[in-house]
Amino acid sequence: MSGKVRARFKLNGEDVTAEMEPNQTLCDYLHDVAEKTGVKKGCDTGECGACTVLMDDKPVTSCLVLAPQVDGREVVTVEGLGTKSRPSPVQWAFVELDAVQCGYCIPGMIVTLSWILEHAPQASDSEVRRLMSGNLCRCTGYLQQVEAVRRAAKRAAAGGAPEPHDIY
Amino acid sequence: MRPFQYLAPFPSFRYLAPKSVGELLDSLEVGGEGSVVIAGGTDLMMALKERTTTPDAVIDISRLGRELGGIRKGGGALRIGALTTFAEIEASQLVDRFAEALKTAAANVGTLQIRNLATIGGNLATASPAGDSAPPLIALGARVKILSRSGERTVPVESFFRGVKKNALLRGEVVAEVALPAREGVSSAWARGAVRNENALSTVSVAVSASIANGRFGESRVALGAVAPTPMLAEKSSKLMTEGDATAEKAEEVAALAAEEARPITDIRASAAYRKRLVFVLTRRLIAGLLSEAGAA
Ligand SMILES: Cc1cc2nc3c(=O)[nH]c(=O)nc-3n(C[C@@H](O)[C@@H](O)[C@H](O)COP(=O)(O)OP(=O)(O)OC[C@H]3O[C@@H](n4cnc5c(N)ncnc54)[C@H](O)[C@@H]3O)c2cc1C
Ligand code: FES
Ligand code: FES
């Protein structure tokens, strides 16, 4: 009685037409079917933010979205923000500031912080912390991540991103 | 606590995505008991994962924002479509102007990611005793507009809740909108106690609305969340405050009566006695805030 459902959407800038099982989360679909493995499943309850993606340019927890709800929408995962040789401004600042320990929370964190950089670059530290409260990190203590947004914002204000490097 | 079983995929169901409210109402009528609607999904996805809801059909209303979303002023009322997210409410100038308590509550719901998904219609329909949109809406005298194939009806928000997780919707009905009187000169405020500042369900929440003129309160309402099986209007406190002296002493009396009216339970978040104390402290603080805003104390 179920049956696959057709969804057309944009994934990291590309048009996708997919036949998908409706009874799965967007998180599982993106990770297991679309192979965007930067989308992590931490809690599966909307608390940790590891599964954060942009849907229509807004950070959402993909573990609380029913996969076919993406029909007609635009989804960006961490893979759509930058690459190894062309890291996004927030990714670059994370590398410079050693803002990563185990790394599990980082893709979701980068998605949220990139949104903050674009939409609230002037936010105070406490506002940044409020906006990132949906991204839990068990390792770092958040200091470097807040600093990373600051640094990326300063750099943007001073005339843009660093030259693309191969960061490895 | 109940052991969770997040076995994915969850049990299968039919997925329907009506293209208009008309189609939605038809699907609801045909679907009957075995179908549920999904808006932001922040509650429903958890119910599917926990198997507390095992529907035959899930009807996706999340793309009906053109008909069921948006915030506007019309007919002397501030109208907020059921699909409006808390992020949209937090950012709305109209809400800021006519429903400050609701704006503050919206900004405190969950996290950025949750506020981008969670809708006000879903928050009401879930009928959680701790739902944060209800006390501000009750304090502001809001009504829920309900639609079905047989027409439209409205109920005051405080009568929309029928028990823990029980709402007044009948088969075939959806929440279309909430509307509250858009009156100049009415101020409102909301506060809550919670175990931490961010992403915590309210242990207790309180909303107050009043106008203040010539040293007196005009029509005033006090509403409480997480202290009874449903969000509630504190009727006696509201009555005591209305037409009362706009003074700190009156604020204290109203707060004490609100604590008496609260019927909290002891659970993992707090004891009943602590919740009553919180009702008192928060109510007094909110009324004091309205007084100082009005330059009355
Ligand atoms: C991590 C997390 C933190 C949270 N924090 C808070 C918080 O601080 N405060 C708070 O109040 N809530 C909080 N919530 C719950 C909050 O997100 C939900 O109550 C939300 O508002 C529900 O809206 P939705 O659009 O996601 O509903 P859905 O999950 O889509 O639906 C919820 C229920 O309402 C029904 N429904 C939805 N829309 C309609 C409609 N228009 N007509 C009829 N029925 C409808 C659905 O069938 C379902 O039964 C939190 C949730 C999570 C996961
Ligand atoms: S996996 Fe989605 S919020 Fe944790
Ligand atoms: S780096 Fe380990 S959880 Fe954040």
Side-chain angles (χ1 to χ4, degrees):
Chain A
M1 51 156 267
S2 69
K4 292 201 176 187
V5 172
R6 170 166 306 171
R8 289 174 212 269
F9 60 105
K10 257 202 163 86
L11 180 55
N12 296 337
E14 281 174 30
D15 289 312
V16 176
T17 303
E19 305 282 333
M20 53 172 74
E21 298 291 347
N23 55 331
Q24 59 182 331
T25 65
L26 178 61
C27 176
D28 286 340
Y29 173 82
L30 290 172
H31 184 279
D32 298 349
V33 183
E35 296 185 354
K36 300 300 175 204
T37 52
V39 183
K40 304 297 183 199
K41 178 152 69 181
C43 61
D44 211 6
T45 65
E47 305 273 350
C48 76
C51 66
T52 303
V53 301
L54 298 178
M55 195 160 79
D56 290 345
D57 199 28
K58 294 183 189 91
V60 300
T61 44
S62 59
C63 70
L64 295 181
V65 176
L66 194 65
Q69 289 189 291
V70 292
D71 184 41
R73 300 187 187 273
E74 208 171 322
V75 175
V76 175
T77 69
V78 71
E79 286 90 345
L81 292 174
T83 61
K84 270 191 193 176
S85 53
R86 282 187 165 270
S88 72
V90 171
Q91 284 171 323
W92 183 243
F94 264 55
V95 173
E96 289 181 312
L97 292 164
D98 287 330
V100 181
Q101 289 189 28
C102 83
Y104 200 80
C105 70
I106 299 298
M109 191 78 87
I110 300 244
V111 170
T112 300
L113 294 180
S114 300
W115 183 88
I116 295 173
L117 177 66
E118 195 178 327
H119 295 272
Q122 314 285 358
S124 63
D125 281 5
S126 66
E127 178 66 359
V128 170
R129 283 175 172 272
R130 182 179 88 90
L131 292 173
M132 69 187 283
S133 69
N135 291 87
L136 301 183
C137 176
R138 299 306 299 263
C139 303
T140 63
Y142 307 104
L143 287 173
Q144 297 93 329
Q145 282 108 2
V146 176
E147 184 54 31
V149 188
R150 282 279 149 275
R151 185 173 292 197
K154 249 186 227 146
R155 200 170 261 149
E163 283 300 297
H165 293 68
D166 194 331
I167 59 178
Y168 290 102
Chain B
M1 270 210 275
R2 191 162 17 123
F4 287 169
Q5 262 205 317
Y6 300 138
L7 296 177
F10 18 87
S12 56
F13 44 73
R14 264 177 324 128
Y15 169 84
L16 305 172
K19 298 261 181 296
S20 64
V21 169
E23 265 186 48
L24 163 66
L25 297 177
D26 290 340
S27 331
L28 281 172
E29 208 172 58
V30 177
E33 292 294 331
S35 56
V36 290
V37 303
I38 185 168
T42 58
D43 285 319
L44 188 76
M45 290 296 282
M46 292 309 303
L48 293 173
K49 290 178 195 190
E50 291 171 21
R51 317 296 199 254
T52 47
T53 302
T54 50
D56 304 324
V58 172
I59 305 176
D60 186 0
I61 62 173
S62 64
R63 279 176 297 262
L64 298 179
R66 217 167 38 85
E67 287 174 278
L68 295 179
I71 302 172
R72 65 197 169 85
K73 204 172 151 239
L78 177 68
R79 300 177 182 279
I80 305 176
L83 286 177
T84 311
T85 64
F86 286 116
E88 290 163 346
I89 291 171
E90 181 187 357
S92 158
Q93 307 228 330
L94 278 175
V95 174
D96 185 45
R97 180 154 155 222
F98 295 109
E100 209 180 328
L102 181 62
K103 181 195 164 100
T104 317
N108 274 279
V109 167
T111 63
L112 174 65
Q113 291 93 321
I114 298 297
R115 291 191 293 277
N116 279 332
L117 289 171
T119 65
I120 194 166
N123 197 246
L124 292 173
T126 285
S128 159
D132 282 321
S133 69
L137 289 173
I138 293 171
L140 288 159
R143 298 177 71 91
V144 187
K145 183 167 122 188
I146 297 170
L147 273 187
S148 72
R149 253 289 153 250
S150 46
E152 153 187 338
R153 64 188 179 110
T154 72
V155 297
V157 172
E158 59 270 29
S159 327
F160 180 73
F161 306 110
R162 292 293 157 85
V164 177
K165 306 225 159 170
K166 289 199 174 68
N167 63 37
L169 293 176
L170 304 172
R171 223 175 114 164
E173 289 186 329
V174 279
V175 174
E177 172 183 286
V178 284
L180 54 94
R183 282 192 292 243
E184 305 287 348
V186 173
S187 22
S188 67
W190 174 91
R192 65 151 181 195
V195 293
R196 51 180 185 270
N197 288 339
E198 300 296 331
N199 196 16
L201 281 187
S202 295
T203 302
V204 163
S205 66
V206 180
V208 177
S209 83
S211 57
I212 300 176
N214 308 321
R216 301 185 81 77
F217 292 114
E219 198 202 326
S220 308
R221 286 161 73 94
V222 180
L224 309 175
V227 293
T230 68
M232 60 181 271
L233 175 67
E235 282 181 45
K236 290 182 198 151
S237 330
S238 303
K239 216 168 266 165
L240 177 66
M241 189 168 161
T242 300
E243 306 299 335
D245 295 335
T247 60
E249 293 71 40
K250 182 58 78 183
E252 182 122 2
E253 275 175 51
V254 171
L257 190 55
E260 250 175 65
E261 284 186 83
R263 294 175 279 124
I265 54 164
T266 294
D267 67 9
I268 49 165
R269 274 173 286 143
S271 67
Y274 179 67
R275 283 197 160 95
K276 276 189 175 272
R277 180 71 195 165
L278 262 183
V279 169
F280 171 74
V281 170
L282 295 176
T283 308
R284 186 179 56 179
R285 188 182 299 162
L286 288 172
I287 300 174
L290 296 184
L291 287 172
S292 71
E293 207 178 279

